[in-house]
Amino acid sequence: MEIATETERKYDVPETFELPELAGVAGITGVHGAETHDLDATYFDTEDLRLMRNRRTLRRRSGGHDAGWHLKTPGDGSGRTEHRVSGHEGDAVPDELLPLVRGIVRQQPLAPVCRLRTHRVETPLRDADGRTLALVAQDRVNAESDDGESAWQEIEVELVDGDVAVLDAVERALLDAGATPAAGPSKVSRALAGRLAAAERAAKTKAKGKSKDKGKINPVLRYAREQRDAIIGHDPAARQGDPDAVHKMRVATRRLRSTLKTYRRWFPETGVGDELRWLAGMLGAVRDPQVLEGKLLAGLDESGPEFEPVAGRIRAALEHRVEKGRDELAEALDSDRYLSLLDAVDALVDNPGHDGGDPSRRTRKVLKKADDELDAAIAGGVDEELHEARKSYKRARYAVEVIQPEHGAPAKQLVKALTALQDGLGAHQDSTIAREVLREIGPDSFHFGVLYGRQEQVGKETLREVPALVRASRRKKVRRWLVKT
């Protein structure tokens, strides 16, 4: 599978439009060597256009230089990402592309929804060295779908070796010549405009939860939906084992589970929380050994050659856990259990039980509980109680995040303080886990004993830092706003 970033702009043009003179614009010296292509593309989606509603398009196209299957997904903001698979005749979506959309389409079948036939004249825009800065495609489009038939002309300008300044300069020339920005983000969205609008209205109607305050979405529901969207958004890369995606998907899963627990009055009773714990566990089986490996191997390069065998054993043991976790995670994300969980989350956050009122009261209670648990844990000096207090502060931090947009900078400051406290307690817990893992991997080695002692010292040092973090999180100016709400 080939993956490329596509940066382009589209314009509608009248029947009589002629391409203006572009030589001399933004370093363009040559406008020649045009090629003609006849493209035939069939677009696939679910009955309710889930891919298009999530800014994705899937097509099988013949003609041109890149015939085959194309999946376009949102990029990093500067363009869109296109996944290409050559060949594969027929309507069966290639196995390489299915995992990239599974979290969106779930168990719904993908079927043809539109056919576009395009006559394209593609002209390269070159600089003095012969580099192709951009391609200008003049398209005559004929569309067929259940919405009927339609035809129009448009121009696409796609960057090749140029920069955004080339796009800007070409755009000014095209607009001066009579072009206008395209009516839609893609050809298929234009062809299916009526059906897409109906599908989006149906989705918005389904997503309830607006408060009486001028239709404003309740902060609890907004936050829950943001975490749902994050889980789905990081799904494709997490399936491929990307560490950052696995981490962010796990965080979103934990945030959502915590929100359902903290603000349970907003949601009907379901088993979604337990299923989210299962999903977080599957993601953690990949993420935790990666983090632990970094902590245990940090500084070993400077500890002398006698530690090389130790580093090798640690690396081998933890990377084995990571690979095992990745295999199990891939299987889990392809399972009916996971897809059913996503459906259940949709139903829960889009159709809440009722409006539980102002969430600030619950936030205060959760934070007070965390304070009490930590005070008792510090007095008792029991690692398990410190770990439970850490989890309570994580839950409290997520609760403050829910209402942060409504309370601005003061709430943001409290989130920051709680995050620092949670991280401090987490560093202590990490040292405890690291010692347990060292006992499992190498109890027979003096050098493992040295590492064990280092982690024991880390635990003591991080615990000494906790009181200052507690005081910082409980300062009046940090919490005053929450007491007043």
Side-chain angles (χ1 to χ4, degrees):
M1 179 171 62
E2 181 184 355
I3 301 176
T5 298
E6 179 183 76
T7 303
E8 65 180 16
R9 296 181 187 177
K10 300 175 183 288
Y11 308 90
D12 292 333
V13 294
E15 193 73 29
T16 58
F17 184 83
E18 293 185 6
L19 197 65
E21 179 60 53
L22 296 175
V25 173
I28 299 170
T29 61
V31 183
H32 54 79
E35 296 183 356
T36 300
H37 304 284
D38 286 306
L39 312 175
D40 191 341
T42 299
Y43 287 78
F44 292 74
D45 208 328
T46 61
E47 178 66 25
D48 56 357
L49 301 182
R50 293 188 181 188
L51 291 182
M52 292 183 65
R53 287 192 287 113
N54 284 275
R55 299 174 56 216
R56 287 156 175 81
T57 57
L58 175 65
R59 73 187 178 200
R60 184 192 66 237
R61 189 170 75 181
S62 61
H65 298 298
D66 58 353
W69 285 82
H70 305 155
L71 171 65
K72 293 187 179 184
T73 63
D76 59 3
S78 61
R80 286 167 63 81
T81 301
E82 185 172 76
H83 304 78
R84 303 168 184 164
V85 178
S86 60
H88 292 275
E89 299 293 332
D91 290 351
V93 179
D95 291 340
E96 298 96 321
L97 297 180
L98 279 174
L100 302 180
V101 298
R102 179 65 69 195
I104 294 174
V105 303
R106 317 281 168 83
Q107 296 169 326
Q108 297 299 312
L110 290 166
V113 294
C114 182
R115 183 178 184 182
L116 298 180
R117 293 185 179 89
T118 303
H119 178 75
R120 168 168 291 179
V121 178
E122 191 172 69
T123 304
L125 307 180
R126 296 188 174 93
D127 65 8
D129 296 326
R131 292 187 310 143
T132 299
L133 302 177
L135 293 171
V136 176
Q138 298 169 268
D139 293 339
R140 291 180 177 271
V141 186
N142 288 277
E144 300 175 10
S145 69
D146 289 343
D147 280 9
E149 297 185 9
S150 56
W152 67 91
Q153 289 188 192
E154 67 178 47
I155 286 181
E156 292 183 4
V157 184
E158 181 179 355
L159 277 185
V160 181
D161 290 328
D163 56 25
V164 176
V166 174
L167 288 182
D168 292 340
V170 172
E171 177 172 282
R172 287 192 293 270
L174 292 176
L175 295 179
D176 289 343
T180 57
S186 66
K187 291 180 175 65
V188 68
S189 66
R190 178 170 183 163
L192 295 176
R195 181 174 170 184
L196 180 58
E200 289 175 340
R201 285 195 300 270
K204 288 180 180 178
T205 300
K206 183 179 179 181
K208 302 175 183 178
K210 290 185 178 181
S211 70
K212 296 179 181 179
D213 183 14
K214 299 182 180 179
K216 191 176 182 181
I217 296 295
N218 183 285
V220 174
L221 304 179
R222 180 196 60 232
Y223 189 80
R225 291 167 186 172
E226 288 172 354
Q227 307 320 311
R228 182 268 313 273
D229 294 345
I231 291 171
I232 296 172
H234 294 300
D235 172 300
R239 289 173 183 268
Q240 298 172 343
D242 178 80
D244 188 54
V246 170
H247 168 63
K248 290 180 178 179
M249 187 174 180
R250 184 191 190 190
V251 170
T253 301
R254 285 175 161 178
R255 279 178 165 142
L256 179 56
R257 178 169 174 261
S258 179
T259 301
L260 299 183
K261 182 177 181 180
T262 298
Y263 301 105
R264 52 186 175 271
R265 287 181 57 192
W266 278 258
F267 304 98
E269 288 292 331
T270 68
V272 169
D274 291 337
E275 291 299 275
L276 288 171
R277 181 193 292 117
W278 162 76
L279 177 59
M282 301 304 297
L283 293 161
V286 179
R287 180 62 179 169
D288 288 342
Q290 293 173 331
V291 174
L292 190 57
E293 180 179 343
K295 290 181 180 296
L296 290 177
L297 297 184
L300 277 191
D301 292 342
E302 303 173 0
S303 299
E306 66 272 18
F307 279 87
E308 290 180 3
V310 174
R313 288 177 64 181
I314 292 173
R315 186 177 293 108
L318 294 179
E319 288 183 357
H320 173 72
R321 295 186 185 186
V322 171
E323 289 305 313
K324 182 174 182 292
R326 281 176 174 163
D327 290 341
E328 293 176 349
L329 177 61
E331 183 177 350
L333 296 183
D334 268 338
S335 69
D336 289 344
R337 179 178 183 178
Y338 170 66
L339 299 178
S340 296
L341 168 59
L342 294 183
D343 287 340
V345 168
D346 281 347
L348 198 60
V349 304
D350 288 337
N351 298 278
H354 63 278
D355 188 342
D358 182 3
S360 298
R361 182 179 178 184
R362 283 293 302 157
T363 303
R364 287 194 294 270
K365 285 186 176 181
V366 170
L367 183 55
K368 176 65 166 56
K369 180 181 178 182
D371 290 340
D372 292 343
E373 287 186 7
L374 181 57
D375 290 345
I378 291 176
V382 180
D383 283 349
E384 289 184 3
E385 293 180 358
L386 288 171
H387 179 48
E388 290 302 315
R390 172 181 174 263
K391 291 194 292 185
S392 292
Y393 272 111
K394 182 181 291 186
R395 183 181 170 192
R397 169 192 150 201
Y398 294 157
V400 178
E401 287 180 351
V402 168
I403 61 176
Q404 177 183 322
E406 282 70 35
H407 296 279
K412 187 175 182 180
Q413 188 177 12
L414 179 55
V415 169
K416 183 177 179 180
L418 293 177
T419 301
L421 175 55
Q422 175 194 320
D423 288 346
L425 293 169
H428 175 75
Q429 175 65 14
D430 288 346
S431 72
T432 302
I433 295 174
R435 279 174 272 160
E436 293 174 356
V437 171
L438 287 171
R439 280 197 296 266
E440 295 172 7
I441 297 176
D444 56 337
S445 167
F446 165 77
H447 296 99
F448 274 93
V450 172
L451 295 182
Y452 187 96
R454 288 182 183 178
Q455 289 300 320
E456 195 168 38
Q457 185 62 27
V458 168
K460 292 177 180 178
E461 291 175 354
T462 54
L463 196 57
R464 283 198 292 268
E465 296 173 358
V466 167
L469 296 173
V470 171
R471 290 193 296 272
S473 73
R474 297 185 185 181
R475 289 187 303 171
K476 287 184 178 181
K477 72 175 185 177
V478 173
R479 295 201 181 187
R480 186 181 299 118
W481 67 272
L482 183 58
V483 174
K484 293 180 178 179
T485 57

